[in-house]
Amino acid sequence: MSIAPEPVPRRFYNRDTLIVAPELLGKLLVRRESSGLLVGKIVETEAYRGVDDPASHSYRGKTPRNAVMFGAPGIAYVYFTYGNHYCLNAVTEDEGTPAAVLIRAVEPLEGVDLMMRNRGVEKLTEVGSGPGKLTKALQITREQNGCDLTDPASDLKICEPSEAGKVFETVRTTRIGIRLAQDKLWRFYVKGNPHVSRK
DNA sequence: GAGAAGATCTCCT
DNA sequence: GGAGATCTTCTCA
C-alpha cells in the first residue's frame, strides 16, 4: 500500500504558532528515504517563538544556526544538540518572524520495520516517543535543514491525514527539557496516545 | 581561541 | 532517580 497524501499548504504555517502547534497533531510526517517510505503521525508538539520566548533559539536574535527560523513558513528547521541528537521543527508565521513548532513525538505508521532498525529497538512505542528518537527513526539530519515541507517532491514533508486520523482529544501543558519560560502552556499532545514522550 | 551550556537519550545504581 | 555521553554553537576575551 502506498500513501500519496497532499502536503499541508504553506498558508497553514503562516499563522500564530500557538494555533499551528496543536493543529499539527494528527498530521503525517512523510520521509522518503533511499530504502523506502517512512510515515509517522505527529502526536506531540511544542511551540517556540523568538520574540517573547526566552527558551527559543531565536530569542537573542538571528545567528547562522537559527537563520531558518527567520525564513518562510513551512520550512524544516533541524538542529543538533547535546552532541547526540537532532531535533525537527516546522517554521511558522511570516517571513522575518522567528517562530517554529518542535515535533516531539510521532506514531509509526508505514515503514515501521525500517524505523525500528534505524533506532535499534523492538518496541513500537520506543521508535518515535521523543524529539531525538523520531529524527533517528526517520533518518533526519542537518541535511534536511531548510527542506520545504510543503513541496510534494520533497524528501521530507507534512501531509493531511485521512478523516479517521483526525479524531482525538488534545491536551495542553507545560514544555519539557528547558530551563527558561517553563510556565508557558505551549506543549500539545494527543490524549492517551502511547507514543507521547511523557505524560 | 577557549569555555560553557544545551528544546536529549541511555545506561547504571 | 541520577549522571555521563558527546559535539555544535554562542559568548566573551
Side-chain angles (χ1 to χ4, degrees), chain A residues 51-65:
Chain A
V51 277
D52 55 356
D53 182 6
S56 171
H57 289 167
S58 52
Y59 184 64
R60 293 164 189 269
K62 193 171 178 177
T63 67
R65 177 208 209 184

Side-chain angles (χ1 to χ4, degrees), chain A residues 66-120:
Chain A
N66 65 27
V68 173
M69 275 181 93
F70 289 77
I75 302 293
Y77 168 45
V78 183
Y79 66 89
F80 192 72
T81 189
Y82 291 108
N84 292 329
H85 306 289
Y86 293 99
C87 292
L88 170 66
N89 299 250
V91 176
T92 59
E93 306 201 23
D94 231 346
E95 196 159 344
T97 305
V101 175
L102 170 68
I103 313 295
R104 283 195 57 91
V106 298
E107 175 183 341
L109 293 184
E110 216 177 288
V112 177
D113 291 344
L114 189 54
M115 285 192 235
M116 287 199 283
R117 261 208 307 280
N118 290 340
R119 284 271 298 119

Side-chain angles (χ1 to χ4, degrees), chain A residues 123-187:
Chain A
K123 271 180 68 178
L124 197 58
T125 52
E126 285 295 313
V127 172
S129 56
K133 296 179 187 176
L134 74 91
T135 51
K136 191 172 181 193
L138 296 180
Q139 307 235 295
I140 294 167
T141 69
R142 212 169 13 195
E143 283 183 27
Q144 275 69 48
N145 191 32
C147 192
D148 190 347
L149 298 170
T150 68
D151 183 356
S154 183
D155 288 341
L156 180 67
K157 55 198 169 184
I158 294 177
C159 300
E160 288 289 350
S162 64
E163 286 302 316
K166 295 177 181 172
V167 183
F168 53 83
E169 211 175 319
T170 303
V171 180
R172 178 175 185 172
T173 180
T174 53
R175 291 180 294 182
I176 288 176
I178 54 173
R179 296 197 312 187
L180 301 165
Q182 293 177 342
D183 56 317
K184 293 187 191 302
L185 294 174
W186 286 6
R187 173 176 173 243

